Amino acid sequence: MKAEEFTELQYGMFIHFGLYSKMARGEWAMNRERIAPAEMEKFARTFQPDHFDADELCQLAVDGGMRYLVFTTMHHDGFRMYDTALSEFNAMKYCGRNFVKEIVDSARKHGLKIALYHSLNNWHDQPDGVRALEDPKAYQVFIENTFARLKELVTIFKPIDVLWYDGWWPFNSEGWQAKRMNAELRAIQPGLLFNGRNGLPGDFGTPEQHLTAPSPWRPWEACVTLNNHWGFHAADQNWKRPVEVINMLLTTGAGHGNLLLNIGPRGDGTIPEESVRIVRTVGQWLREGGREAITNCDRFKFSPTVPQPGDRGDWDPHGRMTVSGNNLFYVMEYRPGDTLTIAGFQARVLKASACAGAFDLGFSQDGEILHIQLPESLKDKTAPVIKLECDRPAAILRTGGMRNTEAPFPRYDPVQPDIQYE
């Protein structure tokens, strides 16, 4: 896969699933609680995720409008989720299952691109990263073991689309021998893409828990949890609302990036019901106009101080807007009543519709003031997408005043503000 093809994917599912899922206290429990490797081996005997269903996860991704999966083959605890000749601390020995193979096979069947997450750090095997820091001889063994794991992984699962490094403590690119690492793995799979977590920039950026596009722009993917943990935590019920995920997709779409949304199955393999509900709700939104609203977005920003060349956008109290060519998409998060009024509209609207053409909307336009009629049937929709087809690329020009002026003016703030506009 090429980097430009990766950007076209837009939306993917991150799956954090491993021995830590059974612990139900998050994926860092071994480290945070200083659980010895021998104790983890004893605990692994209780890990029997009989309800794990790769097809169920892949179908959920498809229903959710996702186009690729990232699956955790080994997290920092060192427990391999596949059959390996390099360690007995693996799912085949303890569970009799090769979860990575199940996911890879199912992803291909469902037409999803597949990325494999693999931690460079490893709290289980010896020598570990701490010993590698302390002893040059231990470092050599640690690095060669890491290379052997990675090369075995991309040899067994061939082809895949992305190798997703993580857990790069305690070394930079030189310590991880990252150039050699990428080269030797690409020799096995020439089309492989890498993220940037072995110390090199990689083929795309991976901002974690924020949606900041790289500057200057390059392919990027924001990875975000659906609650506050990657691995299943029984006490974490702080789920994001579907509208929050929709807003994230609008942000990554406007920045020509991807959103990688995490799912953390329980230790028995079942998917938390809230995860299913949220993902399916957002998938419905994508089918009802959301996909078009986040695809091929043009710049739609504005400066809150002095207007800048190319300023076209604005904030609005009822929702967010994106533009593509002569189309403006209004994503209505808060229904204002039976009429949506947009002032400062700098184009002539030719047609208004909602939910991917399911509803034709009545509208009237008096100069720069646009009134759109909202039928009762839109009330049950989550953040319905209103598509406005215009006679030219649309712009919104409003200020802190009640009318626009030809005089020089600040858009909202006479000085650089300390607030953020959306």
Side-chain angles (χ1 to χ4, degrees):
M1 183 168 61
K2 297 180 180 178
E4 54 268 29
E5 295 175 300
F6 174 78
T7 296
E8 292 171 358
L9 298 177
Q10 295 183 314
Y11 189 27
M13 178 184 286
F14 211 164
I15 303 171
H16 272 71
F17 184 61
L19 186 56
Y20 48 85
S21 305
K22 170 74 173 178
M23 303 175 82
R25 302 193 298 277
E27 70 287 351
W28 272 68
M30 180 181 177
N31 174 282
R32 301 293 88 169
E33 301 171 25
R34 293 293 191 265
I35 303 173
E39 291 302 310
M40 293 296 290
E41 291 170 12
K42 292 179 183 177
F43 183 75
R45 298 170 192 162
T46 71
F47 185 47
Q48 296 296 326
D50 295 334
H51 296 289
F52 179 86
D53 188 333
D55 285 337
E56 181 184 11
L57 279 161
C58 289
Q59 187 59 57
L60 178 61
V62 172
D63 293 345
M66 296 159 166
R67 291 171 169 168
Y68 68 109
L69 295 181
V70 181
F71 187 77
T72 48
T73 65
M74 187 198 83
H75 209 268
H76 316 328
D77 61 7
F79 188 78
R80 282 71 150 176
M81 297 294 285
Y82 54 97
D83 191 12
T84 170
L86 302 178
S87 171
E88 293 191 349
F89 196 52
N90 70 77
M92 182 59 73
K93 175 182 176 180
Y94 285 92
C95 312
R97 292 177 66 177
N98 187 331
F99 296 107
V100 177
K101 183 178 188 304
E102 292 174 26
I103 279 286
V104 169
D105 289 348
S106 183
R108 288 170 177 158
K109 183 172 66 176
H110 284 82
L112 297 163
K113 297 291 186 181
I114 183 70
L116 296 185
Y117 166 112
H118 195 87
S119 174
L120 301 178
N121 197 2
N122 182 344
W123 300 324
H124 177 272
D125 294 6
Q126 299 299 318
D128 62 8
V130 177
R131 290 286 296 126
L133 277 177
E134 296 170 337
D135 179 356
K137 291 183 178 178
Y139 165 80
Q140 290 298 331
V141 176
F142 175 80
I143 285 295
E144 292 310 314
N145 287 346
T146 302
F147 272 65
R149 282 201 322 272
L150 291 166
K151 291 167 77 172
E152 182 195 51
L153 186 70
V154 300
T155 298
I156 295 172
F157 301 105
K158 184 180 181 181
I160 58 172
D161 299 293
V162 178
L163 184 63
W164 216 99
Y165 298 122
D166 196 27
W168 52 330
W169 186 89
F171 301 119
N172 59 15
S173 62
E174 182 179 353
W176 283 114
Q177 303 182 30
K179 289 184 179 179
R180 174 193 157 207
M181 182 181 289
N182 287 359
E184 291 190 8
L185 297 177
R186 273 220 173 102
I188 299 169
Q189 291 202 40
L192 203 56
L193 294 183
F194 302 105
N195 69 346
R197 297 195 178 188
N198 66 350
L200 295 177
D203 297 298
F204 57 92
T206 55
E208 182 170 329
Q209 301 288 44
H210 66 98
L211 311 178
T212 308
S215 182
W217 184 93
R218 67 190 188 102
W220 65 286
E221 164 197 76
C223 52
V224 181
T225 51
L226 198 44
N227 51 12
N228 286 335
H229 289 82
W230 298 101
F232 178 68
H233 194 302
D236 186 356
Q237 298 300 316
N238 191 24
W239 301 101
K240 292 177 174 63
R241 295 176 297 118
V243 169
E244 292 180 82
V245 178
I246 288 168
N247 264 299
M248 290 191 290
L249 282 168
L250 290 168
T251 299
T252 54
H256 294 186
N258 294 356
L259 176 64
L260 182 62
L261 189 67
N262 184 69
I263 300 293
R266 300 182 182 95
D268 64 359
T270 57
I271 309 168
E273 291 74 17
E274 279 297 287
S275 297
V276 175
R277 182 186 67 83
I278 296 164
V279 168
R280 285 186 174 154
T281 299
V282 175
Q284 185 68 20
W285 177 83
L286 284 166
R287 288 188 291 275
E288 293 182 343
R291 179 73 69 185
E292 194 174 6
I294 66 171
T295 301
N296 298 324
C297 294
D298 300 330
R299 186 181 184 277
F300 200 63
K301 299 287 187 180
F302 72 97
S303 171
T305 52
V306 178
Q308 300 297 313
D311 279 3
R312 295 175 58 193
D314 205 349
W315 66 273
D316 204 75
H318 312 304
R320 292 181 59 177
M321 293 173 274
T322 63
V323 291
S324 179
N326 287 6
N327 298 323
L328 182 143
F329 301 92
Y330 191 104
V331 182
M332 189 172 62
E333 298 176 38
Y334 310 101
R335 185 183 175 100
D338 294 332
T339 303
L340 171 65
T341 298
I342 307 174
F345 207 92
Q346 304 294 302
R348 175 63 57 182
V349 174
L350 305 176
K351 182 180 179 181
S353 61
C355 300
F359 302 91
D360 286 332
L361 304 180
F363 67 93
S364 62
Q365 187 170 4
D366 181 10
E368 64 172 22
I369 302 177
L370 175 67
H371 302 286
I372 305 168
Q373 302 307 309
L374 304 174
E376 287 287 315
S377 49
L378 284 186
K379 283 186 174 180
D380 295 331
K381 298 294 183 181
T382 300
V385 178
I386 297 171
K387 180 179 180 179
L388 303 176
E389 300 175 43
C390 306
D391 64 345
R392 60 186 182 276
I396 308 293
L397 180 59
R398 301 178 291 205
T399 73
M402 287 299 292
R403 63 178 176 84
N404 293 335
T405 173
E406 295 297 325
F409 62 90
R411 190 75 181 268
Y412 290 106
D413 297 283
V415 297
Q416 190 63 37
D418 57 2
I419 62 176
Q420 180 178 352
Y421 289 92
E422 288 290 353

